[in-house]
Each structure stands twice: as C-alpha cells, then as structure tokens.
Amino acid sequence: MLTRIDHIGIACFDLDRTVEFYRATYGFEVFHSEVNEEQGVREAMLKINETSDGGASYLQLLEPTREDSAVGKWLAKNGEGVHHIAFGTADVDGDAADIREKGVRVLYDQPRIGSMGSRITFLHPKDCHGVLTELVTSAPVESPEH
C-alpha cells in the first residue's frame, strides 16, 4: 500500500546552483547527496518533513552526469523542471506486482537500488497520465548506538 509522497524529482542543469536556490529561497538544506553511476545522475535530497510512517518527504534534485542518461535525455527535450513523483511503500515488490496486474507497465523486472539505499522501480508515464511515477521502499533506519 502506498503510504506517502516520498519525493518529487526535479531535473536541473546545475545541481549546486539549484541547491543554493532552494536553500536561499525556502530554507531547505541538503539531507543527503550522492552520485548514482547506474542512473547517470548526481543528486541532492532536501528533506521537507518527517512522516507518520517513519519515512520523510523530500525534493530530489537531479543533475545528469552524462548526456545519454535518462535524466540527461529528459533535460535535453524538456528543460529543467519536475521529472517524476515518487510514492513510498513498505513493499515495493508487492505493490509493483499489484499495479502491473492492473495493466500498468512497470519499467524494472526487479527493483533497483535508489537514493540512500532504497529499493525502487518506475511506472511508465504513458500508463500514468503522463507522469513518470516511482515506487520507493526506504532502506531501514539504523538505530543509534548508545
């Protein structure tokens, strides 16, 4: 069952400049950043709030590291802006299977590793009214050691 909006992905040409805009304009700070070589992106996750299911909601800023990446191709065609919306779920495998049974194309046969160690898959935008949709199961949060 989908439990929350995990994040909204925003494609940008210059990650540092875009992070600075969100920091200066809204006060959002970078919670996590990484380079995902498989997806060809450099990203920054800006935490917006905590959620009742123990997760959080983020803005995910995405800068392509190569022109042939999905985000690079999307930017070349569309320019900067909202790239996708991601819904959080405790069971990405089960929810993807349920959604596939309803006739929606799931882009990965098996979920892949996403930001912060999460497990992810995408739904085809043509089956979701033009919206690239991601399903995310967050990595377990490690309890602090005392």
Side-chain angles (χ1 to χ4, degrees):
M1 179 172 97
L2 306 180
T3 58
R4 63 190 156 81
I5 295 175
D6 184 86
H7 67 272
I8 297 171
I10 300 172
C12 61
F13 291 111
D14 184 329
L15 184 66
D16 297 327
R17 197 173 96 215
T18 306
V19 164
E20 184 52 37
F21 168 81
Y22 280 93
R23 179 181 293 126
T25 306
Y26 306 116
F28 298 151
E29 295 294 334
V30 174
F31 177 78
H32 176 82
S33 61
E34 67 182 83
V35 174
N36 185 320
E37 296 293 345
E38 179 185 1
Q39 293 181 18
V41 294
R42 186 173 151 237
E43 66 178 80
M45 297 293 274
L46 310 177
K47 185 186 272 188
I48 307 305
N49 67 315
E50 303 289 333
T51 62
S52 62
D53 68 356
S57 293
Y58 302 90
L59 288 179
Q60 178 187 45
L61 306 179
L62 299 160
E63 175 191 68
T65 57
R66 56 182 198 270
E67 291 179 12
D68 69 340
S69 70
V71 172
K73 291 175 186 176
W74 190 91
L75 267 171
K77 181 179 177 184
N78 300 293
E80 293 184 307
V82 175
H83 179 262
H84 67 275
I85 186 165
F87 295 108
T89 172
D91 182 9
V92 69
D93 298 274
D95 283 337
D98 290 346
I99 291 169
R100 181 181 279 121
E101 287 178 13
K102 295 174 182 171
V104 175
R105 287 174 280 180
V106 178
L107 299 183
Y108 304 151
D109 290 331
Q110 296 295 318
R112 296 182 182 178
I113 299 301
S115 300
M116 300 183 289
S118 62
R119 297 184 69 243
I120 65 166
T121 195
F122 285 90
L123 310 178
H124 200 292
K126 289 185 179 178
D127 297 343
C128 299
H129 298 273
V131 178
L132 179 60
T133 304
E134 182 178 5
L135 304 180
V136 178
T137 297
S138 299
V141 177
E142 295 181 25
S143 32
E145 296 182 43
H146 298 289

